[in-house]
Amino acid sequence: MNINSVDIIKSCISLGIMVTLNQRLDAETLTLVADEFGYSIELIGTDLEKAIQGEKDTEKDLKPRSPVVTIMGHVDHGKTSLLDYIRKTNIIAGEYGGITQHVGAYNVKLKKGNSITFLDTPGHEAFTSMRARGTKITDIVVIVIATDDDVMPQTKEAISHAQLAGVPIIFALNKIDKINSNTDKIRRKLSEMNFLLKEWGGKYQAQEISAKFGLGINELLEKILLEAKILNLKANPNKPAVGTVIESYLDKGRGYCTSLLIQGGTLKVGDYIVAGNFHGKVKILLNERGNHIKKVYPSKPGIILGLNGAPTSGERFKVFKDEKEAKRLASKKNQLKKEYNIRYKKTITLEEIVKNVSLKNFKELKLIVKGDMNGSVEALIDSIEKLSTNDFFIKIIYYNIGHITESDVLLAKASDAIIIGFNVECSLKSKIFAEKHKIEIRLYYIIYNIINDFKNTLNLIKLNKN
Ligand code: GDP
């Protein structure tokens, strides 16, 4: 635009956007700033974006694929029991059980060559965080309702999640073996919420089941297949794989293990892959039975070994033709993430916070959380964030799987944060680095102790304030 950078920065500031000279702006901000100087912006793809987007699939590339199903519902209504029953009673005889790896998803083979993939992640976190990221991973949601109970708050929440995501719902009316089971009460409650079931002349499929005794489960699976048929699910298996990260964790012996759901293309051993902002060559590919496999097809899960870090649940992955391109994208994503994270400057410790709050100049505690498994990190974050009060806010600015590294310390320094490690270690180098920069690193092995420490801190703050 031939306008000097100072003027651009000034105009950003006048728009309320605090920027530095070498900061990246998103498309919306760029449009606003350009408009200030009478320019309009046209966004065009870069080479990298083109490589990311890949070729468009044509109709004849597309082949039928299995549905991916998430089971949701109120606590204790029987989600785990249903998932366990389906997992253990593998429909095709002779393939009983055998699921040894926790992949966060498993595929069950059914008659006539059909199969269904179930997402098996604790609670709804994965589903909701994936939706928050805009990644659609589920084709159908099964909502479990205990018929000896009621349509509960979490049932309603699950229904609205599924609706917002535009995913069809099948209701599983569970615990019909119980004496006080009242399926019609549930049907009526659902109809009052405008969910009229098929047997009452509506459009929603429902199945009475007992997850405990295996009643109605085959019929439920049939209904899932019927819904899938209507959806006409397809994917192109003949291209480099794309999909979503389900879970990842650090295995002491094997290194970073990442479970993925393939949503297009075929993933092969030896592929170069970018997942989140990590990259690597797929060295080993395992299925949910712990077997080494060579390929994974669309709608199927698999575990890969070979990434240089642990991406977060819900992040996208993609296979690249050559390693250079994969590395370039990963490093670009890394850079963007760092820029996003680095905002503040100053250092602080938990003890200083107590003092500072009493001086009324400290209201927010920033944390960086590193842990050994996605599930535990997410649970931990959830419990810590819940401790926030009106006067004092705990904010997790960054979390990830893996040991505490120098770059975590750098981020803590730049953003005035404390580092919490759960079941992970801190290298000597990072320790020295942290000491030099006066960054507090707190290592824990029991979640309870973390929560306790924070509770005590908050109590001290209260005492100091009064
Ligand atoms: P979740 O919290 O939704 O995963 O629920 P669970 O699967 O853990 O089930 C909660 C409790 O209900 C457990 O004690 C189960 O044994 C029990 N339960 C689940 N399904 C049934 C069922 O069909 N019949 C009976 N009688 N109990 C069930």
Side-chain angles (χ1 to χ4, degrees):
M1 298 190 297
N2 204 17
I3 294 166
N4 80 45
S5 49
V6 175
D7 288 335
I8 300 213
I9 292 177
K10 270 193 208 154
S11 101
C12 285
I13 292 173
S14 73
L15 286 164
I17 310 158
M18 297 304 181
V19 294
T20 58
L21 188 58
N22 42 18
Q23 184 165 339
R24 258 158 243 272
L25 302 179
D26 58 30
E28 201 171 295
T29 316
L30 284 173
T31 312
L32 278 175
V33 174
D35 187 56
E36 289 287 297
F37 297 97
Y39 285 87
S40 66
I41 278 182
E42 183 191 343
L43 295 166
I44 50 167
T46 61
D47 283 352
L48 188 59
E49 279 164 1
K50 282 180 193 143
I52 295 168
Q53 280 160 6
E55 299 283 315
K56 278 234 153 54
D57 298 327
T58 62
E59 195 54 43
K60 69 174 184 348
D61 299 329
L62 297 173
K63 303 279 177 297
R65 65 169 180 87
S66 315
V68 179
V69 175
T70 303
I71 296 181
M72 297 172 88
H74 195 75
V75 63
D76 280 347
H77 277 200
K79 298 177 294 290
T80 316
S81 307
L82 178 58
L83 277 165
D84 284 351
Y85 185 87
I86 297 170
R87 184 184 7 228
K88 282 179 197 139
T89 5
N90 212 327
I91 307 301
I92 290 188
E95 251 203 68
Y96 176 80
I99 294 177
T100 54
Q101 304 284 313
H102 187 76
V103 182
Y106 60 85
N107 183 267
V108 280
K109 292 195 178 68
L110 304 168
K111 287 176 209 130
K112 295 182 212 149
N114 289 315
S115 78
I116 302 175
T117 296
F118 285 93
L119 285 184
D120 179 13
T121 47
H124 303 167
E125 292 89 356
F127 184 66
T128 41
S129 77
M130 284 173 204
R131 202 168 54 72
R133 269 169 227 275
T135 37
K136 192 175 160 184
I137 179 163
T138 313
D139 300 306
I140 296 166
V141 169
V142 170
I143 295 196
V144 179
I145 309 176
T147 53
D148 63 335
D149 197 6
D150 208 334
V151 174
M152 298 297 280
Q154 274 182 332
T155 319
K156 290 182 183 163
E157 195 186 299
I159 292 174
S160 52
H161 275 311
Q163 276 196 307
L164 280 171
V167 180
I169 298 171
I170 299 175
F171 293 97
L173 309 180
N174 191 26
K175 305 201 187 181
I176 52 162
D177 60 282
K178 286 194 133 180
I179 294 173
N180 54 344
S181 152
N182 184 348
T183 51
D184 273 350
K185 180 179 104 180
I186 304 297
R187 287 192 182 91
R188 183 170 47 77
K189 289 278 176 97
L190 287 173
S191 71
E192 284 165 9
M193 294 165 60
N194 280 329
F195 290 95
L196 199 58
L197 303 187
K198 275 220 159 104
E199 56 264 40
W200 281 19
K203 63 171 184 177
Y204 290 92
Q205 295 207 77
Q207 177 62 44
E208 294 189 359
I209 62 163
S210 165
K212 191 167 180 175
F213 296 103
L215 298 171
I217 310 287
N218 278 335
E219 289 81 353
L220 177 66
L221 297 176
E222 286 296 327
K223 286 183 176 165
I224 293 173
L225 288 178
L226 185 70
E227 197 73 50
K229 211 169 170 185
I230 298 165
L231 291 172
N232 194 19
L233 302 167
K234 286 182 174 171
N236 174 8
N238 298 313
K239 64 173 187 182
V242 290
T244 302
V245 174
I246 304 172
E247 282 181 3
S248 47
Y249 56 95
L250 185 61
D251 182 288
K252 288 205 171 71
R254 298 197 284 198
Y256 291 106
C257 301
T258 309
S259 64
L260 306 169
L261 177 76
I262 317 303
Q263 292 174 292
T266 298
L267 183 66
K268 302 186 187 90
V269 173
D271 279 346
Y272 292 109
I273 179 171
V274 177
N277 49 337
F278 299 105
H279 67 96
K281 187 175 172 174
V282 178
K283 289 192 198 111
I284 290 176
L285 201 50
L286 300 167
N287 64 11
E288 59 270 53
R289 288 163 182 81
N291 301 326
H292 285 251
I293 46 174
K294 292 220 163 68
K295 288 177 181 176
V296 192
Y297 297 102
S299 282
K300 303 276 159 65
I303 299 183
I304 63 161
L305 271 65
L307 280 183
N308 65 344
T312 314
S313 307
E315 282 190 301
R316 301 280 294 163
F317 80 84
K318 191 174 166 60
V319 165
F320 282 80
K321 284 202 184 95
D322 72 300
E323 192 177 5
K324 237 169 68 194
E325 202 112 69
K327 276 189 179 155
R328 199 154 71 97
L329 176 64
S331 87
K332 183 144 189 169
K333 283 182 149 188
N334 244 324
Q335 189 188 350
L336 288 172
K337 200 164 183 172
K338 274 189 192 138
E339 281 173 22
Y340 180 81
N341 280 323
I342 294 174
R343 283 200 198 124
Y344 307 91
K345 285 189 181 65
K346 236 186 330 127
T347 56
I348 202 85
T349 68
L350 216 49
E351 277 70 31
E352 280 169 40
I353 289 165
V354 178
K355 276 190 244 148
N356 276 324
V357 170
S358 54
L359 296 173
K360 285 205 167 28
N361 58 1
F362 200 93
K363 282 218 171 82
E364 187 178 79
L365 166 61
K366 297 191 193 80
L367 296 180
I368 291 172
V369 179
K370 296 291 291 273
D372 61 338
M373 271 178 75
N374 253 330
S376 57
V377 170
E378 275 161 18
L380 180 60
I381 286 174
D382 209 43
S383 328
I384 295 178
E385 281 182 335
K386 275 192 192 130
L387 295 174
S388 288
T389 63
N390 283 344
D391 303 323
F392 190 74
F393 196 71
I394 301 178
K395 186 174 173 186
I396 317 278
I397 57 158
Y398 175 77
Y399 66 91
N400 213 335
I401 312 295
H403 296 307
I404 294 163
T405 62
E406 280 170 272
S407 92
D408 296 325
V409 179
L410 256 182
L411 179 61
K413 178 174 158 51
S415 45
D416 191 10
I418 291 174
I419 301 176
I420 304 291
F422 178 64
N423 270 337
V424 292
E425 283 148 33
C426 176
S427 69
L428 188 63
K429 237 171 135 186
S430 328
K431 229 178 256 170
I432 295 168
F433 197 53
E435 270 164 27
K436 188 171 147 208
H437 293 287
K438 300 198 174 58
I439 300 297
E440 189 176 21
I441 297 179
R442 301 175 81 97
L443 296 178
Y444 293 89
Y445 298 92
I446 299 170
I447 287 199
Y448 172 80
N449 288 345
I450 309 182
I451 305 302
N452 227 18
D453 277 3
F454 279 95
K455 276 194 178 150
N456 286 339
T457 307
L458 290 170
N459 282 338
L460 278 173
I461 289 169
K462 247 194 226 154
L463 279 177
N464 268 335
K465 272 200 153 169
N466 293 336

